[in-house]
Amino acid sequence: MASAELAQKLQRRLLRDGSCSEAPPDKEESEEGVAPGGAVAAAAGSQTSPGDTDEDRSLLSAAADPELSAKLSRRQDINAGAARPRFAQIFNPYTEFKEFTRRQIKDMERLFRLYDSGKDGYIDLMELKLMMEKLGAPQTHLGLKNMIKEVDEDFDGKLSFREFLLIFHKAAAGELEEDSGLMALAKLSEIDVALEGVKGAKNFFEAKVQALSSASKFEAEIKAEQDERKREEEERKHRRAAFRELKSAFSQ
């Protein structure tokens, strides 16, 4: 059934692009009930046996452009249960990693972007290699692969920003081996919590123990940012008012 639908879609696409033309149906065939054009293709497709799947795919791929061919092949794989459909996921680091402050997450994001030399939103094995060398803790090729494997949730062989945050999450939760490459990355990344003002904590892990509840911290930071913007706006208003007074004094 899926092959029949794909055949119909492909035929409509080719007809729309002008790549093929449909001959007018023969009068006798129409009277005998033989379906013309796309209906014939659909009928033929509906009679295709399971063993003809590979042959159908090759015929469709040969006639379609590469992009459409890839989409058709993936759709057939999904229908056959050989592939899983992709679902878009919205990732919010501030709500998922509540143990970190907004500034710490921004510092981690800057660090991530610094070593994402390909600017594709991922740190691959070679970029991680350069990162560890810059941090003064070079790793072997196998060590780098093991580092990625420990937090690689989607098994793509590289680190997304969420997986990068997982390194610090696991380090703060005590889930990493003390001599592991990921622990070295977390310790040497120099995420400065002294600037956070978290009860005067001197290092990243002490800050996690002494921090307030994540919800109250988040709300307090948002309120602080709003208050800061209000103060800046008030200062601008006062400066403008003072300038107008000075201008009017000189104009008299």
Side-chain angles (χ1 to χ4, degrees):
M1 189 65 184
S3 299
E5 293 176 359
L6 290 170
Q8 287 179 315
K9 289 180 180 179
L10 179 60
Q11 188 179 38
R12 286 198 297 270
R13 171 73 179 270
L14 294 175
L15 285 170
R16 186 170 62 251
D17 294 344
S19 301
C20 65
S21 59
E22 183 179 27
D26 185 81
K27 184 175 180 180
E28 293 181 359
E29 290 179 347
S30 299
E31 291 175 354
E32 291 174 2
V34 178
V40 174
S46 64
Q47 296 175 357
T48 303
S49 63
D52 296 335
T53 302
D54 294 338
E55 183 178 354
D56 292 342
R57 181 177 296 179
S58 63
L59 290 173
L60 291 171
S61 300
D65 57 82
E67 182 180 359
L68 179 60
S69 174
K71 290 181 179 180
L72 291 175
S73 296
R74 175 163 177 78
R75 174 53 56 187
Q76 285 187 328
D77 288 339
I78 291 173
N79 291 340
R84 297 175 61 183
R86 301 187 185 99
F87 298 100
Q89 295 182 348
I90 299 175
F91 165 56
N92 187 335
Y94 303 109
T95 57
E96 185 168 348
F97 294 90
K98 295 180 180 179
E99 68 270 30
F100 301 132
T101 64
R102 289 169 62 85
R103 183 173 295 179
Q104 286 169 340
I105 289 178
K106 289 183 183 296
D107 287 343
M108 294 174 197
E109 185 177 9
R110 279 192 289 270
L111 182 67
F112 181 85
R113 290 181 176 177
L114 176 64
Y115 290 99
D116 176 21
S117 56
K119 305 304 178 187
D120 58 353
Y122 295 93
I123 291 180
D124 60 24
L125 190 138
M126 293 307 297
E127 290 167 340
L128 181 61
K129 178 178 183 293
L130 176 62
M131 181 180 187
M132 297 307 294
E133 289 174 352
K134 291 286 187 180
L135 292 176
Q139 302 289 313
T140 65
H141 183 79
L142 181 59
L144 293 167
K145 292 181 70 174
N146 288 335
M147 287 175 65
I148 293 176
K149 183 179 180 180
E150 190 161 352
V151 291
D152 187 13
E153 294 186 325
D154 53 5
F155 308 105
D156 60 356
K158 51 190 177 181
L159 298 177
S160 64
F161 180 52
R162 183 183 182 281
E163 292 164 345
F164 186 72
L165 289 177
L166 278 177
I167 298 172
F168 296 91
H169 170 79
K170 286 176 175 287
E175 298 176 5
L176 297 178
E177 296 292 335
E178 188 64 28
D179 58 349
S180 67
L182 291 183
M183 180 61 83
L185 189 157
K187 284 185 174 181
L188 297 172
S189 60
E190 297 181 355
I191 303 297
D192 190 0
V193 295
L195 298 176
E196 303 298 326
V198 184
K199 293 186 178 181
K202 295 298 182 182
N203 60 61
F204 180 80
F205 301 108
E206 290 177 356
K208 302 285 87 58
V209 176
Q210 299 180 22
L212 301 172
S213 67
S214 57
S216 61
K217 284 192 303 179
F218 187 80
E219 292 173 0
E221 289 170 348
I222 293 292
K223 188 176 185 303
E225 290 179 2
Q226 293 174 345
D227 291 342
E228 182 66 23
R229 284 196 293 269
K230 287 180 181 178
R231 284 195 296 270
E232 291 176 354
E233 184 61 28
E234 289 295 328
E235 290 176 359
R236 282 195 293 268
K237 288 181 180 178
H238 287 311
R239 286 197 298 268
R240 287 196 294 267
F243 178 76
R244 284 195 296 269
E245 291 178 2
L246 184 62
K247 183 178 179 182
S248 61
F250 276 103
S251 62
Q252 291 177 356

